[in-house]
Amino acid sequence: MRVGGPGGGPGGLLGADRSTIAGARFDGTVVRRVWRFARPYRWMLLAYVGTIIAQALVQLTPPLLFRSIIDSAIPQGVDGGDRGLLHLLAGLAVLAAFANGGLALADRYWSSRIGEGVIYDLRTALYDHVQRMPVAFFTRTQTGALTNRLNSDVLGAQQALTGTVGSVVSNLISLVTTIGAMAFLDWRLTGLSLIVLPLFILPAKRVGRRMQALRRTQMDLSASMNATMTERFNVAGALLVKLFGRSDDESRSFADRADAVRVTGVRVALVGRTFFIAL
């Protein structure tokens, strides 16, 4: 885990040189490093994926049950329909709702167990790594940047593992099961629906890249703001500011950084909402 930059100069300050991550892409090395932290939870991950699969299958049940109720149980109205079948199908719909709630609870349980475990492992590994660094490292590294790595960045890694990966798996399984159910009901209508699928995929990829850039900018700005607070809210930092009489300048500088975080947050919210409205 690389914590400081080379040379010990200003570019070696933790998080100061953004060019080191410009255009970064996932490769085999990154995957292996991620798997090293995820491997102790592989059985939990399997249970998590299994819960997602079961939940996706259960969520298909109510539409099929309602179809049977409308087409078979009450074809001639309530008086002329099959009341026994109607009660059975309605009971199954209620059971499906309870099953979906239970699986949603299990989904949350496994994701929280995995996420909190990964947070713990990342924080302890980073803390142990920093503790082993030479004294010269601490003279050229911002304390606030280190603190931000242990807080915000670790949470981002946890969200990527349990939130993003979980959403991708869930959406993929839901897509496959839904297409299967649609093809079973009417393959012609299913084929017609799939024709327009590329019209949604291409804009989604473009918006995804845009959201990725905005999220990275948002995290960088938040890290800079948090580092400033950590550096200024200790005795040494406060004395330095008061010694040079820079209180007003420091307030303006912090206000500018906080404003940048605010503006970026608004842009992220609007881009995501505009995309879904357009869809």
Side-chain angles (χ1 to χ4, degrees):
M1 183 180 294
R2 186 184 178 197
V3 181
L13 296 178
L14 186 61
D17 188 4
R18 298 181 184 178
S19 63
T20 58
I21 60 173
R25 295 289 184 272
F26 284 107
D27 54 18
T29 303
V30 175
V31 173
R32 285 192 295 270
R33 292 177 64 188
V34 172
W35 176 244
R36 186 179 64 184
F37 287 97
R39 185 173 182 179
Y41 306 96
R42 58 187 180 275
W43 297 115
M44 291 186 185
L45 285 169
L46 289 176
Y48 181 43
V49 173
T51 302
I52 292 175
I53 295 174
Q55 192 173 13
L57 294 176
V58 169
Q59 287 175 349
L60 286 176
T61 306
L64 298 177
L65 292 174
F66 293 138
R67 170 179 175 267
S68 298
I69 289 174
I70 295 173
D71 293 347
S72 302
I74 50 175
Q76 295 92 23
V78 177
D79 295 333
D82 189 342
R83 290 183 175 234
L85 180 60
L86 176 62
H87 294 160
L88 175 61
L89 294 175
L92 291 176
V94 173
L95 289 177
F98 278 104
N100 186 52
L103 289 171
L105 185 62
D107 182 321
R108 184 58 180 165
Y109 170 77
W110 289 119
S111 64
S112 60
R113 282 287 304 272
I114 297 169
E116 295 300 327
V118 170
I119 288 176
Y120 170 79
D121 293 341
L122 285 171
R123 280 178 174 163
T124 53
L126 180 57
Y127 186 85
D128 180 69
H129 180 78
V130 172
Q131 287 286 93
R132 298 174 185 273
M133 297 298 290
V135 176
F137 166 79
F138 297 95
T139 64
R140 65 177 186 264
T141 304
Q142 295 174 326
T143 304
L146 287 174
T147 305
N148 189 73
R149 289 291 185 268
L150 285 168
N151 292 326
S152 301
D153 289 5
V154 167
L155 291 176
Q158 177 260 339
Q159 292 171 0
L161 183 61
T162 59
T164 304
V165 174
S167 297
V168 170
V169 174
S170 177
N171 292 336
L172 180 61
I173 294 172
S174 297
L175 176 64
V176 173
T177 54
T178 301
I179 290 178
M182 290 174 60
F184 172 75
L185 296 175
D186 192 330
W187 64 269
R188 291 163 296 185
L189 184 59
T190 303
L192 184 62
S193 301
L194 293 178
I195 291 177
V196 300
L197 189 60
L199 299 178
F200 296 92
I201 294 178
L202 296 178
K205 293 183 66 175
R206 294 192 60 183
V207 173
R209 288 193 293 267
R210 178 63 174 164
M211 290 290 289
Q212 180 185 23
L214 287 173
R215 288 290 186 184
R216 174 172 290 176
T217 301
Q218 187 179 39
M219 292 185 67
D220 287 340
L221 293 172
S222 297
S224 177
M225 184 179 66
N226 292 334
T228 299
M229 289 188 293
T230 305
E231 294 294 333
R232 300 302 183 265
F233 290 167
N234 57 53
V235 176
L239 287 176
L240 186 63
V241 172
K242 293 182 181 299
L243 179 63
F244 287 94
R246 297 285 303 276
S247 298
D248 294 338
D249 293 338
E250 289 292 333
S251 296
R252 283 192 295 268
S253 176
F254 179 80
D256 291 340
R257 299 186 186 199
D259 181 66
V261 173
R262 179 189 63 177
V263 171
T264 306
V266 172
R267 292 174 63 188
V268 169
L270 288 179
V271 169
R273 181 57 58 186
T274 303
F275 172 66
F276 283 111
I277 291 175
L279 290 183

